[in-house]
């Protein structure tokens, strides 16, 4: 795994407008690949979509994929195109520090109803339960 991108990502992140939490990287074909420091997911109907081939894998991403089935979502490992955003009901990003962070707007375009959706909230709940069950403290309490 290379860390060459970190300084470029940091510079780009520092240039984001106020109130914007993440920049998304889009492939030449218009597919949303991932964030500068996160993985990107979209929900359409009962399907969770995320780019597999051209995105970095991550621990939080792997855990979200693990719990997705328990929330009744099917998985499509192909990202969505930016042009498909009007039909997307919910979006979120994942990272170790943010866990699952709902995305309610992309480029001034509301996602779904513009608030965190019920399937994202269900994933957040399932993820928290998994972490609670599996996590072990690394420092004495």
């Amino acid at each position: 795994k290379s860390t060459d991108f970190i300084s470029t990502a940091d510079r780009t992140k520092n240039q984001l407008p106020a109130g914007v939490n993440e920049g998304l990287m889009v492939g030449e074909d218009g597919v949303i690949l991932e964030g500068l420091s996160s993985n990107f997911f979209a929900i359409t109907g009962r399907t969770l979509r995320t780019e597999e081939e051209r995105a970095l894998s991550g621990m939080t991403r792997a855990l979200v994929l693990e719990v997705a089935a328990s929330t009744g979502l099917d998985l499509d490992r192909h990202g969505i195109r930016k042009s498909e955003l009007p039909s997307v009901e919910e979006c979120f990003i994942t990272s170790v520090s943010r866990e699952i962070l709902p995305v309610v707007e992309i480029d001034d375009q509301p996602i779904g109803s513009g608030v965190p959706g019920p399937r994202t909230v269900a994933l957040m709940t399932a993820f928290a339960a998994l972490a609670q069950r599996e996590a072990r403290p690394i420092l004495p309490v």
Side-chain angles (χ1 to χ4, degrees):
K1 193 173 194 179
S2 172
T3 58
D4 294 341
F5 72 95
I6 292 175
S7 63
T8 302
D10 280 345
R11 276 194 309 278
T12 303
K13 200 168 196 170
N14 289 333
Q15 295 173 358
L16 294 174
V20 174
N21 292 310
E22 181 68 296
L24 297 175
M25 293 183 273
V26 179
E28 290 179 8
D29 57 355
V31 172
I32 300 173
L33 304 175
E34 60 190 344
L36 294 171
S37 61
S38 64
N39 289 107
F40 178 79
F41 295 81
I43 300 173
T44 55
R46 302 200 61 76
T47 303
L48 178 64
R49 294 179 60 185
T50 184
E51 178 66 23
E52 176 90 4
E53 262 185 49
R54 298 177 288 172
L56 289 174
S57 58
M59 181 56 70
T60 306
R61 180 183 190 278
L63 293 173
V64 166
L65 295 175
E66 184 179 319
V67 300
S70 72
T71 65
L73 289 170
D74 297 321
L75 182 59
D76 181 345
R77 293 175 190 262
H78 298 91
I80 62 149
R81 284 185 160 67
K82 207 172 159 195
S83 62
E84 294 178 89
L85 286 175
S87 66
V88 169
E89 297 162 24
E90 303 177 44
C91 290
F92 59 91
I93 57 173
T94 64
S95 69
V96 170
S97 62
R98 293 175 277 200
E99 295 181 350
I100 297 173
L101 181 66
V103 173
V104 297
E105 183 178 288
I106 297 175
D107 289 343
D108 298 321
Q109 178 179 340
I111 301 299
S113 60
V115 298
R119 291 185 177 96
T120 299
V121 172
L123 278 167
M124 293 169 75
T125 301
F127 182 89
L130 175 67
Q132 186 68 33
R133 261 190 335 270
E134 301 293 327
R136 302 287 182 262
I138 58 172
L139 298 174
V141 184

